[in-house]
Amino acid sequence: MRLPKSSSVSDRALYLRAAEDLRDNDKQWQAYQSGNHCVLLAGPGSGKTKTLTVKLARMLSEDVDAPRGLACITYNNESARELEGRLDALGIVPGGRVFIGTVHSFSLTQILLPYAKPAGLGLPEGFTVATLKQQRGALERAFNKVVGGSENPQNWRLRMDRYRRAFLDRSRTEWRTRDATLANLIEHYEAELRQLGLIDFDDMPLLAVRALANNSWLQKALVAKYPILAVDEYQDLGSALHAMVMGLCFSAGMRLFAVGDVDQSIYGFTGAYPELLRRLSERDDVEAVRLGLNYRCGSKIVTASEYALGEVRGYRAPDQAHEGTIYFHPRPSGYSGHASYLLGHLLPEIQARRPGLNLGEVAVLYPAAYIGDDIAAAAASAGLTIIRTDGNALYPRSSRILRWLEQCAIWCCGGWRAGSPRISKLIGEGARIFHEAILDEDAQLTFQRTVIEALWTRRDATLGLHDWLVAMRADVIAPSIARSRSLADDFDNLNVFVERLSATGDVEDMSLGEFAGIGTGLDRINLSTLHSAKGREFDVVILFAMDEGKVPRGNPSDNDLRESRRLFYVGFTRARYEIHLMYSQHNASRFVTEVRERLQQT
């Protein structure tokens, strides 16, 4: 076994020690040992992230010689951040040899930015990524040219996006015949963007697929750089990613390690198609490994989760697992009354039953962000603090810049004493965010000095958050933004949040310490939509507003019904010890009724 020059024996020892924890699970070990294309079918709580992390470390150390590396595509930035943290613990820092990020980030940074011109994509020189405001303006102008009328052009956005994602090859006759108005609207919308030197979020994978399909040399260039491609949450990444995998891995020679679960596919509205994962796992040239143990949920919750899914999958808890408990709470009145009951009665009961429970281990999950407003209002009345990760949060949790600033705030509020987070990790993550502005060693040293000085001089949890953000924006972020073509929207999010905290804003200024607390989620009740809770886990989960007409929505199609059931299943399997189902007394979701009745029969 030969180690690449960039690996050390100590780093190798870290992942080898971690791998020993996989031996007792024969399926995890089988995936770890696989040497060809492999698909890991991993249900909730099955240890898939741990398996993926250790497998990545092994492949990088044993299977790829420096300077070549591997790429790992994740569903969202949060998943990428978690993988980066786990790999860091194994001595592997993302950088030149390791790409970890979304399919959009991979498309932009590895294909479009370096190769758009030679690949013949016809993009404007020096193109940038459009902000939401710029996208809305382009859609409005295109709508007025193609459709016209008094209707809000933004009402067409969802249909337009779905149609774009459905056609990777626009030379097909069906591109125009299926819906000529939508096809025309899309072409005018994209032309409006290009006139301004812009691409949007959906352009990234669509253009990347086009570039790969038309340029075999580009496929070879990517395989030369990354001979291995890993994909997490494969079922959620859609047809563009699948087309990349088919071309890069089954034509050009990349080795694939994919992880996913058809039963947790809940993003059909973004173009996710779980059947793609099923087809991939059934290929003769792919080794499929299914994980059968659920290490997260208590044994009763594991059993009941199959009732929630409506399918038998054979998952089980380890022999020594705790039982877990399922509670049902039919409630009269509206959701504001349900929220008051939750925080004034149910939560104290849970705390009495589980002494020492940190509120950060309690999650209230609901079908839509507006429902969280009632819970947030009830929490404020009760003097309880919350952290929201839905569309009505203080700021988008998907913002790379704001999430990085959260970590910087934690360092300023005592993390510098404890060494957590490490200043080197903050600098490294910041450098990856602003990578377009940090092109050489001198720029890297300048960025490092700037971050250290900015944080060291602001180590005070009592500082006003507004002033801290303004100073960090001026000293650290603004100098890099001008040279970063993909961060305009993130910068807008920061500016909006700063304005909201100002004297004329709608949010009362908070201290830096409060912001750091939001970042960690410590001792704050988690409020989240079911969609945003995917991939997370908590000691206690309260599924709120589990009503017919909400989960599933009214008059669902067969496909909507299947996805709604999967969404319910995802929420159900976030819980380690207790799962609480809250619903209107005479309008329980059909999924709740089925779980309750089947539990009564056992």
Side-chain angles (χ1 to χ4, degrees):
M1 190 184 304
R2 183 163 53 91
L3 289 176
K5 294 178 181 178
S6 61
S7 296
S8 68
V9 174
S10 59
D11 290 346
R12 180 187 170 201
L14 288 173
Y15 85 79
L16 289 175
R17 282 198 295 270
E20 288 303 309
D21 294 336
L22 306 180
R23 280 187 182 272
D24 291 338
N25 184 314
D26 59 341
K27 295 300 182 181
Q28 288 181 345
W29 188 252
Q30 180 183 346
Y32 175 73
Q33 293 283 62
S34 68
N36 298 307
H37 298 312
C38 180
V39 171
L40 183 64
L41 300 169
S46 59
K48 65 100 174 173
T49 305
K50 179 178 182 178
T51 306
L52 172 60
T53 306
V54 180
K55 179 67 172 179
L56 289 173
R58 178 179 188 174
M59 291 189 296
L60 188 68
S61 292
E62 299 180 18
D63 300 341
V64 182
D65 287 338
R68 306 175 83 195
L70 59 81
C72 180
I73 292 177
T74 65
Y75 178 73
N76 56 29
N77 290 323
E78 188 65 29
S79 300
R81 194 175 294 111
E82 180 183 1
L83 274 177
E84 287 177 355
R86 291 188 180 224
L87 284 171
D88 183 64
L90 297 179
I92 295 172
V93 179
R97 292 190 66 210
V98 185
F99 170 89
I100 299 177
T102 64
V103 65
H104 297 85
S105 176
F106 182 80
S107 299
L108 179 66
T109 64
Q110 306 301 310
I111 299 174
L112 301 185
L113 287 176
Y115 300 118
K117 188 172 182 178
L121 293 176
L123 292 179
E125 192 74 30
F127 69 89
T128 59
V129 179
T131 65
L132 288 176
K133 182 178 180 180
Q134 291 169 326
Q135 292 174 46
R136 292 188 187 106
L139 178 53
E140 182 175 348
R141 293 188 296 275
F143 178 86
N144 290 336
K145 292 176 182 177
V146 175
V147 181
S150 59
E151 183 181 1
N152 184 350
Q154 308 309 320
N155 293 342
W156 286 64
R157 183 75 206 215
L158 184 59
R159 277 187 294 161
M160 185 181 78
D161 289 345
R162 283 178 173 170
Y163 202 76
R164 289 174 83 191
R165 297 174 192 135
F167 288 93
L168 300 181
D169 180 5
R170 294 184 185 178
S171 65
R172 292 165 51 194
T173 304
E174 194 181 3
W175 163 249
R176 293 206 170 278
T177 59
R178 183 188 294 184
D179 194 321
T181 301
L182 270 180
N184 199 17
L185 178 63
I186 290 166
E187 289 172 355
H188 276 77
Y189 165 75
E190 292 174 349
E192 291 288 339
L193 289 180
R194 301 299 183 266
Q195 286 180 11
L196 298 174
L198 300 171
I199 65 171
D200 73 358
F201 196 65
D202 275 338
D203 273 322
M204 297 176 192
L206 296 176
L207 289 169
V209 168
R210 194 179 310 165
L212 289 169
N214 296 332
N215 298 280
S216 59
W217 61 264
L218 179 53
Q219 296 182 29
K220 293 175 182 176
L222 285 176
V223 173
K225 185 176 183 180
Y226 301 123
I228 296 177
L229 175 66
V231 182
D232 191 18
E233 303 291 2
Y234 195 98
Q235 75 282 350
D236 288 329
L237 289 162
S239 56
L241 182 278
H242 187 68
M244 286 188 202
V245 167
M246 291 299 102
L248 290 172
C249 298
F250 298 100
S251 295
M254 266 190 191
R255 174 176 153 199
L256 176 67
F257 187 83
V259 181
D261 181 12
V262 171
D263 295 331
Q264 295 186 76
S265 180
I266 58 174
Y267 294 104
F269 60 91
T270 68
Y273 185 35
E275 184 63 24
L276 298 176
L277 174 61
R278 195 189 315 276
R279 291 179 194 167
L280 182 66
S281 68
E282 293 172 352
R283 288 179 61 105
D284 292 338
D285 52 356
V286 168
E287 180 181 6
V289 181
R290 181 178 293 277
L291 301 183
L293 289 177
N294 182 331
Y295 294 97
R296 175 192 303 151
C297 305
S299 56
K300 287 185 177 179
I301 297 175
V302 173
T303 299
S305 70
E306 292 202 335
Y307 306 155
L309 181 62
E311 300 277 354
V312 176
R313 293 289 184 256
Y315 294 127
R316 61 183 180 85
D319 293 338
Q320 304 304 317
H322 56 276
E323 282 194 342
T325 316
I326 301 102
Y327 299 86
F328 296 86
H329 303 280
R331 298 301 305 163
S333 70
Y335 291 147
S336 60
H338 295 189
S340 297
Y341 171 82
L342 189 164
L343 297 170
H345 180 80
L346 179 55
L347 182 61
E349 274 190 358
I350 293 169
Q351 290 175 306
R353 190 163 51 245
R354 306 191 65 79
L357 175 69
N358 188 308
L359 291 180
E361 291 297 340
V362 177
V364 185
L365 312 181
Y366 34 83
Y370 75 89
I371 296 173
D373 294 344
D374 286 323
I375 307 165
S381 298
L384 295 168
T385 54
I386 62 169
I387 173 172
R388 294 186 72 164
T389 54
D390 60 25
N392 291 342
L394 275 176
Y395 47 86
R397 304 294 293 173
S398 59
S399 171
R400 291 165 291 177
I401 290 177
L402 280 164
R403 294 304 299 272
W404 180 66
L405 287 170
E406 285 179 357
Q407 294 301 305
C408 291
I410 293 169
W411 190 90
C412 289
C413 294
W416 63 276
R417 291 192 188 92
S420 179
R422 300 193 310 273
I423 188 71
S424 60
K425 185 176 180 180
L426 289 177
I427 293 168
E429 184 172 345
R432 288 193 294 278
I433 292 173
F434 302 108
H435 65 93
E436 293 174 77
I438 304 173
L439 300 176
D440 53 39
E441 189 173 337
D442 287 343
Q444 189 169 356
L445 288 173
T446 299
F447 181 78
Q448 178 179 325
R449 293 191 194 101
T450 301
V451 171
I452 291 172
E453 182 178 359
L455 297 184
W456 187 258
T457 56
R458 299 182 177 94
R459 292 169 296 131
D460 183 351
T462 66
L463 290 174
L465 177 59
H466 175 269
D467 292 345
W468 185 85
L469 288 174
V470 168
M472 290 293 292
R473 180 177 62 183
D475 294 349
V476 178
I477 296 167
S480 298
I481 283 293
R483 299 188 297 278
S484 298
R485 293 193 271 173
S486 61
L487 294 175
D489 216 34
D490 282 75
F491 194 52
D492 273 3
N493 290 331
L494 171 60
N495 291 334
V496 168
F497 185 45
V498 168
E499 183 60 31
R500 293 187 69 188
L501 292 167
S502 71
T504 59
D506 65 324
V507 176
E508 184 177 350
D509 193 14
M510 60 182 71
S511 70
L512 183 62
E514 288 177 293
F515 181 61
I518 287 176
T520 58
L522 294 177
D523 211 29
R524 297 168 184 258
I525 302 170
N526 296 276
L527 305 188
S528 172
T529 59
L530 288 163
H531 283 97
S532 295
K534 188 169 181 295
R536 305 176 70 189
E537 55 185 64
F538 307 92
D539 284 356
V540 178
V541 169
I542 299 142
L543 297 186
F544 189 89
M546 294 296 104
D547 290 358
E548 192 71 12
K550 294 292 187 293
V551 183
R553 294 182 180 179
N555 301 314
S557 66
D558 289 345
N559 190 60
D560 291 339
L561 187 61
R562 285 191 293 271
E563 181 153 315
S564 292
R565 185 181 277 280
R566 293 195 296 263
L567 184 63
F568 180 66
Y569 171 73
V570 165
F572 204 96
T573 53
R574 301 309 94 195
R576 295 189 189 97
Y577 300 105
E578 296 186 13
I579 177 79
H580 296 258
L581 304 173
M582 291 191 68
Y583 48 94
S584 297
Q585 197 162 30
H586 302 294
N587 191 37
S589 163
R590 67 187 77 182
F591 306 144
V592 171
T593 300
E594 184 175 343
V595 170
R596 186 180 61 222
E597 290 177 349
R598 294 194 65 178
L599 284 173
Q600 289 171 349
Q601 294 167 6
T602 57

